[in-house]
Amino acid sequence: MKLTVNHLAKQFTLHNRDGITVTGFSDVSFTVADGELLALTGPSGTGKSSILKAIYRTYLSSSGTIHLHRKDGSIVDLTTCCENSILELRKKEIGFVTQFLKILPRITALQSVASPLIERGEYEKNARETASQLLDSLNIREELFHLSPLTFSGGEQQRINIARGVIAPRDLLLLDEPTASLDEDSSNRVLDLLLELKEKGIAMIGIFHDKRKTERVADKVYTINREI
Ligand SMILES: Nc1ncnc2c1ncn2[C@@H]1O[C@H](COP(=O)(O)OP(=O)(O)O)[C@@H](O)[C@H]1O
Ligand SMILES: [Mg+2]
């Protein structure tokens, strides 16, 4: 097992609105194994993105546990472990491909994609070579490699973001609508990439915006229903 989520819940307290509480999600339980992709599905506003943020600890959970089973055999509860451990885990063990690319000025697409590999100790030349191949496999034209993604289309930016997220894959990868603004061909290339990551044993939790895409990559589905 890679991740065990048990009775996880999140309420948002709106301090600027007299402390009104809003339910993010409640009573969420699932497991994800190495090499397995779990898809979260359900109507908009049922807490799918918030669950990923709770696992990445962008959001603190209100109750429940998230146990990460590490390679060395130890188990950490991501709801309660200290901030330093979270920062360490984000560097090496948990990756998050969000919907939008954070663009740093003056950094080219190629540099941006190569940098996670360089940070991991790969030679710069090799990292750039791997990044080029990855961008090529995602249908990014070579003439864009040496430009800043600032002026790229939404779909191109999204693919740069995905390439950055998967080039040096963490053991657990969270994906929030990675194919949302992509055309059919680019979407399929991203899904192929996720299938390759599964082969490498990466555990993934993904939100996909349509059923066909979900069925193509997911080993199992966790559906959240709106509470009545
Ligand atoms: N930072 C936040 N503050 C207050 N409410 C939030 C916050 N983030 C999400 N929510 C609320 O939590 C619920 C679930 O949102 P979200 O996780 O984005 O759903 P989904 O990804 O399934 O569309 C929504 O009602 C949303 O308004
Ligand atoms: Mg969402």
Side-chain angles (χ1 to χ4, degrees):
M1 206 46 67
K2 188 70 212 168
L3 195 79
T4 312
V5 173
N6 242 316
H7 301 298
L8 194 70
K10 166 78 183 165
Q11 275 101 39
F12 294 98
T13 305
L14 308 182
H15 295 288
N16 54 350
R17 295 288 317 278
D18 293 338
I20 293 178
T21 59
V22 172
T23 303
F25 53 83
S26 57
D27 202 18
V28 169
S29 302
F30 56 72
T31 60
V32 192
D34 292 311
E36 192 170 56
L37 193 156
L38 169 82
L40 299 180
T41 64
S44 163
T46 47
K48 303 181 295 298
S49 297
S50 299
I51 292 170
L52 295 189
K53 288 177 188 163
I55 296 169
Y56 202 61
R57 255 276 283 280
T58 314
Y59 287 167
L60 284 170
S61 302
S62 307
S63 59
T65 56
I66 306 172
H67 288 145
L68 179 75
H69 303 250
R70 304 179 68 189
K71 281 221 173 79
D72 65 6
S74 66
I75 296 175
V76 228
D77 186 345
L78 301 175
T79 64
T80 53
C81 73
C82 68
E83 206 58 26
N84 273 343
S85 319
I86 286 289
L87 296 177
E88 274 307 301
L89 290 170
R90 285 181 186 170
K91 270 188 211 149
K92 302 202 180 90
E93 299 181 43
I94 309 175
F96 196 170
V97 177
T98 54
Q99 267 180 285
F100 303 102
L101 175 67
K102 285 195 194 78
I103 298 166
L104 300 170
R106 291 184 296 276
I107 305 286
T108 70
L110 194 66
Q111 281 172 320
S112 169
V113 174
S115 72
L117 261 190
I118 296 167
E119 276 162 30
R120 191 170 276 197
E122 184 57 83
Y123 287 114
E124 218 166 301
K125 188 167 172 292
N126 296 347
R128 283 168 183 272
E129 182 57 36
T130 307
S132 306
Q133 285 165 8
L134 186 56
L135 287 174
D136 190 53
S137 77
L138 288 172
N139 249 350
I140 297 288
R141 302 193 311 278
E142 205 175 330
E143 60 184 357
L144 298 180
F145 288 10
H146 301 288
L147 301 179
S148 159
L150 199 64
T151 54
F152 289 8
S153 74
E156 285 163 348
Q157 289 185 0
Q158 198 174 17
R159 279 173 283 161
I160 304 299
N161 201 27
I162 292 162
R164 258 182 78 84
V166 305
I167 193 163
R170 316 289 202 270
D171 300 337
L172 174 68
L173 190 58
L174 311 171
L175 303 136
D176 196 346
E177 306 208 22
T179 58
S181 45
L182 301 185
D183 59 53
E184 191 65 17
D185 181 44
S186 300
S187 265
N188 281 328
R189 286 169 181 249
V190 169
L191 299 180
D192 287 342
L193 206 58
L194 300 186
L195 293 172
E196 274 174 40
L197 291 178
K198 281 209 287 188
E199 297 284 309
K200 289 185 187 159
I202 308 295
M204 288 179 270
I205 305 176
I207 303 167
F208 301 92
H209 62 293
D210 78 54
K211 199 165 171 231
R212 202 183 50 79
K213 291 191 177 65
T214 303
E215 280 168 358
R216 198 169 148 221
V217 288
D219 298 288
K220 55 188 188 185
V221 174
Y222 183 85
T223 302
I224 310 159
N225 295 306
R226 210 184 286 282
E227 282 174 31
I228 308 161

PDB file of all heavy atoms in Angstrom, residues 181-210:
ATOM      1  N   SER A 181      -7.539  21.383 -20.299  1.00  0.00           N
ATOM      2  CA  SER A 181      -7.617  22.272 -21.464  1.00  0.00           C
ATOM      3  C   SER A 181      -6.863  21.732 -22.675  1.00  0.00           C
ATOM      4  O   SER A 181      -6.355  22.482 -23.488  1.00  0.00           O
ATOM      5  CB  SER A 181      -7.135  23.677 -21.090  1.00  0.00           C
ATOM      6  OG  SER A 181      -5.957  23.604 -20.342  1.00  0.00           O
ATOM      7  N   LEU A 182      -6.793  20.407 -22.770  1.00  0.00           N
ATOM      8  CA  LEU A 182      -6.037  19.809 -23.880  1.00  0.00           C
ATOM      9  C   LEU A 182      -6.957  19.234 -24.961  1.00  0.00           C
ATOM     10  O   LEU A 182      -8.050  18.761 -24.672  1.00  0.00           O
ATOM     11  CB  LEU A 182      -5.144  18.687 -23.349  1.00  0.00           C
ATOM     12  CG  LEU A 182      -4.121  19.078 -22.295  1.00  0.00           C
ATOM     13  CD1 LEU A 182      -3.228  17.894 -21.966  1.00  0.00           C
ATOM     14  CD2 LEU A 182      -3.278  20.252 -22.769  1.00  0.00           C
ATOM     15  N   ASP A 183      -6.477  19.281 -26.205  1.00  0.00           N
ATOM     16  CA  ASP A 183      -7.227  18.646 -27.282  1.00  0.00           C
ATOM     17  C   ASP A 183      -7.056  17.126 -27.179  1.00  0.00           C
ATOM     18  O   ASP A 183      -6.261  16.629 -26.378  1.00  0.00           O
ATOM     19  CB  ASP A 183      -6.749  19.171 -28.645  1.00  0.00           C
ATOM     20  CG  ASP A 183      -5.275  18.903 -28.849  1.00  0.00           C
ATOM     21  OD1 ASP A 183      -4.838  17.735 -28.705  1.00  0.00           O
ATOM     22  OD2 ASP A 183      -4.526  19.862 -29.131  1.00  0.00           O
ATOM     23  N   GLU A 184      -7.820  16.429 -27.984  1.00  0.00           N
ATOM     24  CA  GLU A 184      -7.879  14.978 -27.918  1.00  0.00           C
ATOM     25  C   GLU A 184      -6.496  14.314 -28.010  1.00  0.00           C
ATOM     26  O   GLU A 184      -6.132  13.482 -27.180  1.00  0.00           O
ATOM     27  CB  GLU A 184      -8.782  14.507 -29.084  1.00  0.00           C
ATOM     28  CG  GLU A 184      -9.176  13.059 -29.052  1.00  0.00           C
ATOM     29  CD  GLU A 184     -10.048  12.699 -27.859  1.00  0.00           C
ATOM     30  OE1 GLU A 184     -10.618  13.635 -27.216  1.00  0.00           O
ATOM     31  OE2 GLU A 184     -10.153  11.515 -27.551  1.00  0.00           O
ATOM     32  N   ASP A 185      -5.702  14.727 -29.000  1.00  0.00           N
ATOM     33  CA  ASP A 185      -4.413  14.090 -29.213  1.00  0.00           C
ATOM     34  C   ASP A 185      -3.469  14.337 -28.030  1.00  0.00           C
ATOM     35  O   ASP A 185      -2.854  13.404 -27.503  1.00  0.00           O
ATOM     36  CB  ASP A 185      -3.789  14.591 -30.529  1.00  0.00           C
ATOM     37  CG  ASP A 185      -2.461  13.920 -30.791  1.00  0.00           C
ATOM     38  OD1 ASP A 185      -2.377  12.683 -30.601  1.00  0.00           O
ATOM     39  OD2 ASP A 185      -1.488  14.614 -31.147  1.00  0.00           O
ATOM     40  N   SER A 186      -3.402  15.602 -27.575  1.00  0.00           N
ATOM     41  CA  SER A 186      -2.518  15.909 -26.438  1.00  0.00           C
ATOM     42  C   SER A 186      -2.994  15.205 -25.174  1.00  0.00           C
ATOM     43  O   SER A 186      -2.185  14.711 -24.389  1.00  0.00           O
ATOM     44  CB  SER A 186      -2.473  17.411 -26.184  1.00  0.00           C
ATOM     45  OG  SER A 186      -1.992  18.083 -27.308  1.00  0.00           O
ATOM     46  N   SER A 187      -4.302  15.164 -24.981  1.00  0.00           N
ATOM     47  CA  SER A 187      -4.868  14.446 -23.829  1.00  0.00           C
ATOM     48  C   SER A 187      -4.431  13.001 -23.826  1.00  0.00           C
ATOM     49  O   SER A 187      -3.997  12.464 -22.802  1.00  0.00           O
ATOM     50  CB  SER A 187      -6.383  14.380 -23.955  1.00  0.00           C
ATOM     51  OG  SER A 187      -6.986  15.373 -23.293  1.00  0.00           O
ATOM     52  N   ASN A 188      -4.523  12.371 -24.996  1.00  0.00           N
ATOM     53  CA  ASN A 188      -4.143  10.970 -25.079  1.00  0.00           C
ATOM     54  C   ASN A 188      -2.671  10.771 -24.764  1.00  0.00           C
ATOM     55  O   ASN A 188      -2.285   9.794 -24.126  1.00  0.00           O
ATOM     56  CB  ASN A 188      -4.468  10.409 -26.464  1.00  0.00           C
ATOM     57  CG  ASN A 188      -5.942  10.094 -26.572  1.00  0.00           C
ATOM     58  OD1 ASN A 188      -6.578   9.715 -25.571  1.00  0.00           O
ATOM     59  ND2 ASN A 188      -6.512  10.266 -27.747  1.00  0.00           N
ATOM     60  N   ARG A 189      -1.851  11.723 -25.203  1.00  0.00           N
ATOM     61  CA  ARG A 189      -0.415  11.613 -24.912  1.00  0.00           C
ATOM     62  C   ARG A 189      -0.155  11.717 -23.417  1.00  0.00           C
ATOM     63  O   ARG A 189       0.703  11.026 -22.870  1.00  0.00           O
ATOM     64  CB  ARG A 189       0.358  12.667 -25.678  1.00  0.00           C
ATOM     65  CG  ARG A 189       0.446  12.299 -27.156  1.00  0.00           C
ATOM     66  CD  ARG A 189       0.976  13.437 -27.965  1.00  0.00           C
ATOM     67  NE  ARG A 189       1.030  13.092 -29.372  1.00  0.00           N
ATOM     68  CZ  ARG A 189       2.159  12.919 -30.056  1.00  0.00           C
ATOM     69  NH1 ARG A 189       3.323  13.056 -29.463  1.00  0.00           N
ATOM     70  NH2 ARG A 189       2.119  12.626 -31.335  1.00  0.00           N
ATOM     71  N   VAL A 190      -0.913  12.592 -22.743  1.00  0.00           N
ATOM     72  CA  VAL A 190      -0.755  12.710 -21.291  1.00  0.00           C
ATOM     73  C   VAL A 190      -1.206  11.411 -20.615  1.00  0.00           C
ATOM     74  O   VAL A 190      -0.521  10.887 -19.724  1.00  0.00           O
ATOM     75  CB  VAL A 190      -1.558  13.917 -20.741  1.00  0.00           C
ATOM     76  CG1 VAL A 190      -1.616  13.889 -19.223  1.00  0.00           C
ATOM     77  CG2 VAL A 190      -0.934  15.218 -21.227  1.00  0.00           C
ATOM     78  N   LEU A 191      -2.330  10.877 -21.065  1.00  0.00           N
ATOM     79  CA  LEU A 191      -2.820   9.635 -20.457  1.00  0.00           C
ATOM     80  C   LEU A 191      -1.826   8.492 -20.674  1.00  0.00           C
ATOM     81  O   LEU A 191      -1.581   7.697 -19.764  1.00  0.00           O
ATOM     82  CB  LEU A 191      -4.210   9.276 -21.002  1.00  0.00           C
ATOM     83  CG  LEU A 191      -5.316  10.314 -20.730  1.00  0.00           C
ATOM     84  CD1 LEU A 191      -6.643   9.844 -21.323  1.00  0.00           C
ATOM     85  CD2 LEU A 191      -5.480  10.604 -19.242  1.00  0.00           C
ATOM     86  N   ASP A 192      -1.197   8.445 -21.865  1.00  0.00           N
ATOM     87  CA  ASP A 192      -0.172   7.431 -22.117  1.00  0.00           C
ATOM     88  C   ASP A 192       0.985   7.561 -21.124  1.00  0.00           C
ATOM     89  O   ASP A 192       1.517   6.572 -20.623  1.00  0.00           O
ATOM     90  CB  ASP A 192       0.412   7.579 -23.534  1.00  0.00           C
ATOM     91  CG  ASP A 192      -0.576   7.109 -24.599  1.00  0.00           C
ATOM     92  OD1 ASP A 192      -1.529   6.377 -24.253  1.00  0.00           O
ATOM     93  OD2 ASP A 192      -0.402   7.496 -25.775  1.00  0.00           O
ATOM     94  N   LEU A 193       1.340   8.811 -20.861  1.00  0.00           N
ATOM     95  CA  LEU A 193       2.431   9.084 -19.925  1.00  0.00           C
ATOM     96  C   LEU A 193       2.070   8.563 -18.519  1.00  0.00           C
ATOM     97  O   LEU A 193       2.901   7.973 -17.826  1.00  0.00           O
ATOM     98  CB  LEU A 193       2.630  10.601 -19.880  1.00  0.00           C
ATOM     99  CG  LEU A 193       3.960  11.161 -19.504  1.00  0.00           C
ATOM    100  CD1 LEU A 193       5.035  10.659 -20.436  1.00  0.00           C
ATOM    101  CD2 LEU A 193       3.898  12.694 -19.593  1.00  0.00           C
ATOM    102  N   LEU A 194       0.810   8.757 -18.132  1.00  0.00           N
ATOM    103  CA  LEU A 194       0.375   8.282 -16.811  1.00  0.00           C
ATOM    104  C   LEU A 194       0.403   6.748 -16.761  1.00  0.00           C
ATOM    105  O   LEU A 194       0.792   6.170 -15.745  1.00  0.00           O
ATOM    106  CB  LEU A 194      -1.032   8.795 -16.474  1.00  0.00           C
ATOM    107  CG  LEU A 194      -1.191  10.321 -16.419  1.00  0.00           C
ATOM    108  CD1 LEU A 194      -2.590  10.688 -15.945  1.00  0.00           C
ATOM    109  CD2 LEU A 194      -0.135  10.964 -15.522  1.00  0.00           C
ATOM    110  N   LEU A 195       0.045   6.117 -17.871  1.00  0.00           N
ATOM    111  CA  LEU A 195       0.099   4.652 -17.908  1.00  0.00           C
ATOM    112  C   LEU A 195       1.544   4.169 -17.755  1.00  0.00           C
ATOM    113  O   LEU A 195       1.812   3.194 -17.058  1.00  0.00           O
ATOM    114  CB  LEU A 195      -0.514   4.123 -19.212  1.00  0.00           C
ATOM    115  CG  LEU A 195      -2.037   4.351 -19.357  1.00  0.00           C
ATOM    116  CD1 LEU A 195      -2.521   3.979 -20.758  1.00  0.00           C
ATOM    117  CD2 LEU A 195      -2.816   3.558 -18.308  1.00  0.00           C
ATOM    118  N   GLU A 196       2.492   4.908 -18.374  1.00  0.00           N
ATOM    119  CA  GLU A 196       3.912   4.553 -18.219  1.00  0.00           C
ATOM    120  C   GLU A 196       4.360   4.695 -16.760  1.00  0.00           C
ATOM    121  O   GLU A 196       5.136   3.892 -16.261  1.00  0.00           O
ATOM    122  CB  GLU A 196       4.793   5.481 -19.061  1.00  0.00           C
ATOM    123  CG  GLU A 196       4.968   5.053 -20.496  1.00  0.00           C
ATOM    124  CD  GLU A 196       5.738   6.113 -21.291  1.00  0.00           C
ATOM    125  OE1 GLU A 196       6.713   6.694 -20.759  1.00  0.00           O
ATOM    126  OE2 GLU A 196       5.332   6.372 -22.445  1.00  0.00           O
ATOM    127  N   LEU A 197       3.869   5.754 -16.096  1.00  0.00           N
ATOM    128  CA  LEU A 197       4.244   5.956 -14.687  1.00  0.00           C
ATOM    129  C   LEU A 197       3.725   4.813 -13.815  1.00  0.00           C
ATOM    130  O   LEU A 197       4.380   4.393 -12.864  1.00  0.00           O
ATOM    131  CB  LEU A 197       3.707   7.291 -14.162  1.00  0.00           C
ATOM    132  CG  LEU A 197       4.334   8.552 -14.740  1.00  0.00           C
ATOM    133  CD1 LEU A 197       3.664   9.789 -14.157  1.00  0.00           C
ATOM    134  CD2 LEU A 197       5.833   8.602 -14.459  1.00  0.00           C
ATOM    135  N   LYS A 198       2.540   4.330 -14.154  1.00  0.00           N
ATOM    136  CA  LYS A 198       2.004   3.182 -13.393  1.00  0.00           C
ATOM    137  C   LYS A 198       2.943   1.993 -13.514  1.00  0.00           C
ATOM    138  O   LYS A 198       3.232   1.313 -12.528  1.00  0.00           O
ATOM    139  CB  LYS A 198       0.621   2.795 -13.935  1.00  0.00           C
ATOM    140  CG  LYS A 198      -0.466   3.701 -13.446  1.00  0.00           C
ATOM    141  CD  LYS A 198      -1.796   2.978 -13.373  1.00  0.00           C
ATOM    142  CE  LYS A 198      -2.394   2.725 -14.731  1.00  0.00           C
ATOM    143  NZ  LYS A 198      -3.773   2.197 -14.613  1.00  0.00           N
ATOM    144  N   GLU A 199       3.438   1.769 -14.748  1.00  0.00           N
ATOM    145  CA  GLU A 199       4.372   0.659 -14.978  1.00  0.00           C
ATOM    146  C   GLU A 199       5.605   0.797 -14.091  1.00  0.00           C
ATOM    147  O   GLU A 199       6.197  -0.187 -13.667  1.00  0.00           O
ATOM    148  CB  GLU A 199       4.852   0.651 -16.437  1.00  0.00           C
ATOM    149  CG  GLU A 199       3.766   0.425 -17.461  1.00  0.00           C
ATOM    150  CD  GLU A 199       3.342  -1.030 -17.504  1.00  0.00           C
ATOM    151  OE1 GLU A 199       4.242  -1.869 -17.625  1.00  0.00           O
ATOM    152  OE2 GLU A 199       2.123  -1.299 -17.383  1.00  0.00           O
ATOM    153  N   LYS A 200       5.994   2.060 -13.840  1.00  0.00           N
ATOM    154  CA  LYS A 200       7.176   2.308 -12.994  1.00  0.00           C
ATOM    155  C   LYS A 200       6.854   2.201 -11.511  1.00  0.00           C
ATOM    156  O   LYS A 200       7.708   2.456 -10.664  1.00  0.00           O
ATOM    157  CB  LYS A 200       7.726   3.706 -13.277  1.00  0.00           C
ATOM    158  CG  LYS A 200       8.382   3.833 -14.628  1.00  0.00           C
ATOM    159  CD  LYS A 200       8.998   5.215 -14.779  1.00  0.00           C
ATOM    160  CE  LYS A 200       9.502   5.418 -16.195  1.00  0.00           C
ATOM    161  NZ  LYS A 200       9.648   6.836 -16.535  1.00  0.00           N
ATOM    162  N   GLY A 201       5.595   1.926 -11.186  1.00  0.00           N
ATOM    163  CA  GLY A 201       5.238   1.737  -9.780  1.00  0.00           C
ATOM    164  C   GLY A 201       4.791   2.993  -9.054  1.00  0.00           C
ATOM    165  O   GLY A 201       4.656   2.997  -7.825  1.00  0.00           O
ATOM    166  N   ILE A 202       4.575   4.076  -9.804  1.00  0.00           N
ATOM    167  CA  ILE A 202       4.136   5.316  -9.163  1.00  0.00           C
ATOM    168  C   ILE A 202       2.655   5.182  -8.772  1.00  0.00           C
ATOM    169  O   ILE A 202       1.842   4.739  -9.583  1.00  0.00           O
ATOM    170  CB  ILE A 202       4.285   6.514 -10.139  1.00  0.00           C
ATOM    171  CG1 ILE A 202       5.693   6.590 -10.735  1.00  0.00           C
ATOM    172  CG2 ILE A 202       3.871   7.829  -9.472  1.00  0.00           C
ATOM    173  CD1 ILE A 202       6.796   6.870  -9.759  1.00  0.00           C
ATOM    174  N   ALA A 203       2.330   5.573  -7.555  1.00  0.00           N
ATOM    175  CA  ALA A 203       0.928   5.595  -7.114  1.00  0.00           C
ATOM    176  C   ALA A 203       0.351   6.958  -7.473  1.00  0.00           C
ATOM    177  O   ALA A 203       1.025   7.974  -7.310  1.00  0.00           O
ATOM    178  CB  ALA A 203       0.854   5.369  -5.608  1.00  0.00           C
ATOM    179  N   MET A 204      -0.878   6.976  -7.986  1.00  0.00           N
ATOM    180  CA  MET A 204      -1.450   8.266  -8.404  1.00  0.00           C
ATOM    181  C   MET A 204      -2.896   8.416  -7.959  1.00  0.00           C
ATOM    182  O   MET A 204      -3.640   7.438  -7.901  1.00  0.00           O
ATOM    183  CB  MET A 204      -1.391   8.390  -9.932  1.00  0.00           C
ATOM    184  CG  MET A 204       0.021   8.621 -10.443  1.00  0.00           C
ATOM    185  SD  MET A 204       0.083   8.726 -12.237  1.00  0.00           S
ATOM    186  CE  MET A 204       0.335   7.005 -12.623  1.00  0.00           C
ATOM    187  N   ILE A 205      -3.262   9.662  -7.675  1.00  0.00           N
ATOM    188  CA  ILE A 205      -4.667   9.998  -7.443  1.00  0.00           C
ATOM    189  C   ILE A 205      -4.978  11.128  -8.414  1.00  0.00           C
ATOM    190  O   ILE A 205      -4.296  12.156  -8.418  1.00  0.00           O
ATOM    191  CB  ILE A 205      -4.917  10.475  -6.004  1.00  0.00           C
ATOM    192  CG1 ILE A 205      -4.409   9.417  -5.017  1.00  0.00           C
ATOM    193  CG2 ILE A 205      -6.416  10.744  -5.783  1.00  0.00           C
ATOM    194  CD1 ILE A 205      -4.515   9.833  -3.571  1.00  0.00           C
ATOM    195  N   GLY A 206      -5.973  10.910  -9.279  1.00  0.00           N
ATOM    196  CA  GLY A 206      -6.240  11.901 -10.305  1.00  0.00           C
ATOM    197  C   GLY A 206      -7.701  12.276 -10.396  1.00  0.00           C
ATOM    198  O   GLY A 206      -8.594  11.494 -10.054  1.00  0.00           O
ATOM    199  N   ILE A 207      -7.932  13.514 -10.825  1.00  0.00           N
ATOM    200  CA  ILE A 207      -9.283  13.983 -11.131  1.00  0.00           C
ATOM    201  C   ILE A 207      -9.279  14.220 -12.638  1.00  0.00           C
ATOM    202  O   ILE A 207      -8.420  14.940 -13.144  1.00  0.00           O
ATOM    203  CB  ILE A 207      -9.584  15.295 -10.392  1.00  0.00           C
ATOM    204  CG1 ILE A 207      -9.412  15.102  -8.885  1.00  0.00           C
ATOM    205  CG2 ILE A 207     -10.991  15.800 -10.719  1.00  0.00           C
ATOM    206  CD1 ILE A 207      -9.388  16.409  -8.102  1.00  0.00           C
ATOM    207  N   PHE A 208     -10.222  13.588 -13.339  1.00  0.00           N
ATOM    208  CA  PHE A 208     -10.287  13.747 -14.799  1.00  0.00           C
ATOM    209  C   PHE A 208     -11.660  14.260 -15.135  1.00  0.00           C
ATOM    210  O   PHE A 208     -12.632  13.923 -14.464  1.00  0.00           O
ATOM    211  CB  PHE A 208     -10.011  12.401 -15.483  1.00  0.00           C
ATOM    212  CG  PHE A 208      -8.680  11.837 -15.131  1.00  0.00           C
ATOM    213  CD1 PHE A 208      -8.549  10.965 -14.059  1.00  0.00           C
ATOM    214  CD2 PHE A 208      -7.541  12.225 -15.821  1.00  0.00           C
ATOM    215  CE1 PHE A 208      -7.304  10.475 -13.686  1.00  0.00           C
ATOM    216  CE2 PHE A 208      -6.300  11.739 -15.465  1.00  0.00           C
ATOM    217  CZ  PHE A 208      -6.175  10.859 -14.392  1.00  0.00           C
ATOM    218  N   HIS A 209     -11.718  15.101 -16.156  1.00  0.00           N
ATOM    219  CA  HIS A 209     -13.012  15.734 -16.355  1.00  0.00           C
ATOM    220  C   HIS A 209     -13.979  14.948 -17.212  1.00  0.00           C
ATOM    221  O   HIS A 209     -15.089  15.387 -17.408  1.00  0.00           O
ATOM    222  CB  HIS A 209     -12.848  17.172 -16.843  1.00  0.00           C
ATOM    223  CG  HIS A 209     -12.156  17.246 -18.165  1.00  0.00           C
ATOM    224  ND1 HIS A 209     -10.843  16.884 -18.312  1.00  0.00           N
ATOM    225  CD2 HIS A 209     -12.595  17.596 -19.379  1.00  0.00           C
ATOM    226  CE1 HIS A 209     -10.505  17.030 -19.574  1.00  0.00           C
ATOM    227  NE2 HIS A 209     -11.556  17.456 -20.255  1.00  0.00           N
ATOM    228  N   ASP A 210     -13.575  13.780 -17.729  1.00  0.00           N
ATOM    229  CA  ASP A 210     -14.620  12.983 -18.364  1.00  0.00           C
ATOM    230  C   ASP A 210     -14.449  11.494 -18.131  1.00  0.00           C
ATOM    231  O   ASP A 210     -13.377  11.014 -17.768  1.00  0.00           O
ATOM    232  CB  ASP A 210     -14.833  13.365 -19.840  1.00  0.00           C
ATOM    233  CG  ASP A 210     -13.788  12.787 -20.758  1.00  0.00           C
ATOM    234  OD1 ASP A 210     -13.584  11.556 -20.727  1.00  0.00           O
ATOM    235  OD2 ASP A 210     -13.180  13.567 -21.516  1.00  0.00           O
TER     236      ASP A 210
END
